[in-house]
């Protein structure tokens, strides 16, 4: 939008804090190369357009806004003379994308000193070559530092996840090894007991009946009900008494196994009816090995299934062999991240899932959203840790629909965020964690992934005992032209607004 061109006064622009140290000849060059324009209330330029001009406000009121999830969010409103915006990085030339990183409008008739971007670049190079070199070094150095520390943040997260995954895999793997070793012993004893039974004077019908009982026993083990400790104890007493009454001195050892398998006195009576009294102990012992074998195989099955689920979760978390941008179920991403972080969360932090199962798929970069979930869950867990590093509290993960967006909320019952630092938590390198435990880039990376790459938004609400980080993602988005979207940082954006 163009305004009404007005005369440029070197004296007036020389009074601005940007130009107060310039010589009269320099002020004359600025007035000759630039212009003063009067803009009526309305837009001056729009975010994303080529950055063609550098604006310095002489009088009026200016408002800067950014586009977030389809909405214009106001970030600055000021009437301070001399504030500036627009093509502030023109001196970097084609090395950066020269577009307006915000939208500017005025709410009353407002005068600007307007300098074309190429002229602004030439003047900076001519008048302040050392300053330009310093600014270039600061700009690229900051980006390099952020990239390096961002990579370290990812490596730290990967190390934490690897340690947690190793711990989680070790438990079922060790259980499977123990169960396999015990199973080998039980099978050997079963063979020995079978040999003893074979040498006994069994009739063909008795042996067939015993084998039938064995088959039905294996079926009952698979359908054994879950019992409370009190119920299990009562049943063990009953079975132990029955076994003692039938001449088995080790009944107290057999009873817990039979109860775990869902077997009762009626089952023992069927065994007693199928064999003679003198071989009943051997028959019950043989069936005990059958029960133990089934229980051990169930344990091995549970352990290997757990390992398989963990591997699936790791694959889901890393998004291996999947398109970088696609429609995803946020609940699958959340579940895989929670499973990967289960070791870090620990047993003393209760995880509550409040999922809206009616949510549709979301177009997204799933691997990067998993990184966001990781950062937010990690922060929530740290907020609930006491001085000894032990976590206590409740982590609530909630999803819901918010108009045309999906809301993903992470709530914790930790100490909360102090009001004086709430506005700084998304700043790069700002952290409240002890030295060596945080880089201050977790939330900055999350912000850039959500806001810049997914055109969503992030917000936080916090009081002691109730902190909620909310991520809003649009339900509709166009597929990117390339797998990688342009990188930009929140810190860079903030310096490109009015200062």
């Amino acid at each position: 939008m163009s305004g009404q061109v007005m005369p440029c006064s070197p004296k007036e622009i020389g009074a601005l804090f940007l130009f107060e140290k310039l010589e009269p000849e320099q002020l004359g060059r600025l007035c000759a190369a630039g212009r003063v324009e009067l803009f009526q209330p309305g837009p001056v330029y729009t975010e994303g357009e080529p950055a063609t001009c550098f604006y310095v406000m002489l009088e009026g009121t200016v408002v800067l806004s950014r586009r977030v999830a389809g909405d214009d969010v106001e970030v600055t409103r000021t009437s301070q003379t001399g504030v500036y915006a627009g093509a502030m990085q023109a001196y970097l030339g084609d090395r950066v994308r020269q577009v307006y990183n915000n939208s500017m409008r005025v709410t009353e008739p407002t005068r600007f000193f307007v300098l074309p971007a190429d002229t602004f670049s030439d003047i900076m190079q001519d008048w302040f070559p050392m300053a330009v070199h310093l600014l270039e070094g600061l700009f690229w150095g900051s980006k390099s530092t952020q990239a390096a520390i961002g990579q370290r943040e990812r490596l730290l997260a990967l190390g934490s996840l690897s340690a947690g995954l190793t711990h989680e895999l070790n438990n079922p793997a060790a259980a499977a090894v123990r169960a396999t070793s015990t199973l080998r012993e039980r099978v050997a004893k079963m063979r020995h007991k079978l040999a003893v039974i074979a040498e006994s004077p069994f009739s063909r019908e008795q042996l067939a009946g015993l084998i039938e009982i064995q088959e039905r026993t294996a079926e009952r083990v698979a359908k054994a009900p879950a019992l409370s400790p009190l119920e299990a104890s009562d049943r063990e007493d009953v079975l132990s008494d029955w076994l003692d009454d039938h001449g088995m001195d080790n009944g107290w050892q057999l009873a817990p196994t039979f109860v775990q398998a869902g077997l009762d006195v009626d089952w023992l009576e069927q065994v007693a009816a199928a064999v003679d009294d003198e071989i009943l102990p051997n028959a019950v012992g043989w069936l005990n090995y059958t029960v133990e074998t089934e229980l051990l195989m169930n344990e091995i099955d549970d352990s290997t299934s757990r390992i398989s689920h963990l591997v699936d979760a790791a694959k889901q978390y890393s998004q291996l062999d999947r398109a970088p941008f696609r429609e995803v179920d946020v609940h699958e991403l959340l579940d895989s991240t929670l499973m990967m972080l289960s070791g870090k969360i620990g047993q003393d932090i209760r995880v509550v899932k409040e999922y809206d199962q009616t949510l549709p798929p979301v177009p997204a970069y799933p691997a990067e959203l998993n990184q966001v979930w990781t950062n937010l869950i990690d922060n929530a867990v740290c907020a609930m840790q006491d001085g000894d590093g032990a976590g206590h509290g409740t982590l609530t993960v909630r999803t819901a629909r918010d108009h045309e967006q999906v809301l993903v909320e992470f709530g914790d019952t930790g100490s909360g965020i102090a009001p004086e630092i709430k506005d700084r938590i998304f700043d790069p390198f700002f952290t409240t964690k002890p030295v060596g435990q945080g880089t201050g880039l977790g939330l900055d990376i999350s912000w850039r992934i959500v806001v810049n790459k997914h055109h969503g938004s992030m917000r936080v609400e916090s009081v002691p005992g109730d902190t909620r980080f909310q991520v809003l993602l649009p339900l509709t988005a166009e597929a990117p032209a390339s797998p990688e979207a342009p990188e930009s940082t929140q810190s860079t954006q903030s310096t490109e607004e009015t200062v």
Side-chain angles (χ1 to χ4, degrees), residues 253-329:
Q253 292 177 314
L254 301 178
T257 302
F258 290 156
V259 170
Q260 185 181 355
L263 306 178
D264 51 22
V265 170
D266 290 339
W267 172 80
L268 289 173
E269 291 289 355
Q270 293 177 34
V271 177
V275 299
D276 295 335
D277 291 343
E278 64 271 14
I279 62 170
L280 178 60
N282 285 331
V284 171
W286 180 50
L287 292 174
N288 174 63
Y289 292 141
T290 299
V291 171
E292 287 187 330
T293 300
E294 290 295 323
L295 292 175
L296 288 167
M297 286 192 293
N298 287 344
E299 185 176 346
I300 293 171
D301 182 64
D302 290 341
S303 299
T304 53
S305 296
R306 172 70 175 166
I307 292 172
S308 178
H309 291 157
L310 285 168
V311 172
D312 286 343
K315 187 174 181 180
Q316 169 74 13
Y317 179 86
S318 62
Q319 294 293 306
L320 293 175
D321 303 325
R322 299 196 178 192
F325 184 86
R326 61 186 180 86
E327 289 194 340
V328 297
D329 182 345

Side-chain angles (χ1 to χ4, degrees), residues 144-295:
S144 298
T145 302
Q146 275 196 323
I149 298 184
Q151 183 68 21
R152 181 176 181 270
E153 182 83 10
R154 293 181 176 90
L155 290 173
L156 287 174
L158 179 60
S160 177
L161 286 172
S162 298
L165 182 60
T166 301
H167 174 76
E168 290 298 312
L169 285 171
N170 182 66
N171 289 336
V177 170
R178 288 194 303 269
T180 302
S181 177
T182 305
L183 179 61
R184 182 176 290 108
E185 295 177 7
R186 294 299 182 269
V187 171
K189 290 181 179 180
M190 183 183 291
R191 291 196 301 265
H192 174 72
K193 190 69 69 173
L194 181 59
V196 172
I197 292 174
E199 294 173 357
S200 302
F202 267 98
S203 67
R204 184 171 184 176
E205 291 76 13
Q206 286 178 320
L207 189 56
L210 189 59
I211 292 175
E212 182 186 358
I213 292 175
Q214 183 188 34
E215 293 295 333
R216 286 191 281 113
T217 299
E219 293 176 2
R220 292 188 64 168
V221 172
K223 301 175 183 178
L227 300 176
S228 67
L230 184 59
E231 290 174 327
S233 179
D234 290 342
R235 293 194 182 191
E236 287 174 15
D237 290 340
V238 173
L239 287 181
S240 182
D241 291 342
W242 189 95
L243 293 168
D244 290 342
D245 293 341
H246 288 75
M248 282 165 267
D249 297 335
N250 62 338
W252 61 275
Q253 292 177 314
L254 301 178
T257 302
F258 290 156
V259 170
Q260 185 181 355
L263 306 178
D264 51 22
V265 170
D266 290 339
W267 172 80
L268 289 173
E269 291 289 355
Q270 293 177 34
V271 177
V275 299
D276 295 335
D277 291 343
E278 64 271 14
I279 62 170
L280 178 60
N282 285 331
V284 171
W286 180 50
L287 292 174
N288 174 63
Y289 292 141
T290 299
V291 171
E292 287 187 330
T293 300
E294 290 295 323
L295 292 175

Side-chain angles (χ1 to χ4, degrees), residues 326-339:
R326 61 186 180 86
E327 289 194 340
V328 297
D329 182 345
V330 293
H331 300 139
E332 290 183 358
L333 303 183
L334 290 168
D335 286 342
S336 66
T337 304
L338 286 169
M339 181 172 286

Side-chain angles (χ1 to χ4, degrees), residues 10-248:
K11 182 178 180 181
E12 182 180 30
I13 65 171
L16 301 175
F17 62 82
L18 271 182
F19 307 133
E20 61 185 357
K21 299 296 184 180
L22 297 183
E23 299 294 333
E25 296 80 6
Q26 294 174 314
L27 294 174
R29 180 179 173 183
L30 285 177
C31 267
R35 61 189 183 274
V36 172
E37 288 191 44
L38 174 65
F39 288 84
Q40 297 301 319
V44 177
Y45 64 73
T46 303
E47 179 180 347
E49 293 178 345
T52 58
C53 294
F54 175 66
Y55 295 84
V56 185
M57 190 176 73
L58 299 173
E59 61 177 347
T61 301
V62 66
V63 176
L64 291 183
S65 62
R66 291 188 59 81
R67 196 75 172 167
V68 178
D71 298 323
D72 287 321
V73 179
E74 181 177 319
V75 293
T76 304
R77 179 186 292 259
T78 182
S79 300
Q80 180 184 354
T81 300
V83 295
Y84 52 89
M88 292 168 51
Q89 294 179 347
Y91 61 88
L92 293 172
D94 295 336
R95 288 173 290 176
V96 297
R97 191 163 172 249
Q98 296 292 341
V99 296
Y100 293 120
N101 289 297
N102 48 55
S103 296
M104 185 167 72
R105 61 186 175 89
V106 296
T107 59
E108 61 178 322
T110 301
R111 286 191 308 125
F112 288 98
F113 172 68
V114 183
L115 195 62
D118 53 355
T119 304
F120 175 57
S121 176
D122 292 340
I123 287 177
M124 287 287 292
Q125 299 284 350
D126 291 345
W127 293 353
F128 314 108
M130 182 176 178
V132 168
H133 287 305
L134 291 173
L135 287 171
E136 287 178 342
L138 178 64
F139 178 83
W140 297 114
S142 175
K143 289 185 74 69
S144 298
T145 302
Q146 275 196 323
I149 298 184
Q151 183 68 21
R152 181 176 181 270
E153 182 83 10
R154 293 181 176 90
L155 290 173
L156 287 174
L158 179 60
S160 177
L161 286 172
S162 298
L165 182 60
T166 301
H167 174 76
E168 290 298 312
L169 285 171
N170 182 66
N171 289 336
V177 170
R178 288 194 303 269
T180 302
S181 177
T182 305
L183 179 61
R184 182 176 290 108
E185 295 177 7
R186 294 299 182 269
V187 171
K189 290 181 179 180
M190 183 183 291
R191 291 196 301 265
H192 174 72
K193 190 69 69 173
L194 181 59
V196 172
I197 292 174
E199 294 173 357
S200 302
F202 267 98
S203 67
R204 184 171 184 176
E205 291 76 13
Q206 286 178 320
L207 189 56
L210 189 59
I211 292 175
E212 182 186 358
I213 292 175
Q214 183 188 34
E215 293 295 333
R216 286 191 281 113
T217 299
E219 293 176 2
R220 292 188 64 168
V221 172
K223 301 175 183 178
L227 300 176
S228 67
L230 184 59
E231 290 174 327
S233 179
D234 290 342
R235 293 194 182 191
E236 287 174 15
D237 290 340
V238 173
L239 287 181
S240 182
D241 291 342
W242 189 95
L243 293 168
D244 290 342
D245 293 341
H246 288 75
M248 282 165 267

Side-chain angles (χ1 to χ4, degrees), residues 415-418 422 460-464 466-468:
S415 56
I417 301 172
K422 185 177 177 181
V460 60
E461 300 172 0
S462 181
V463 295
D466 184 13
T467 297
R468 303 180 185 185

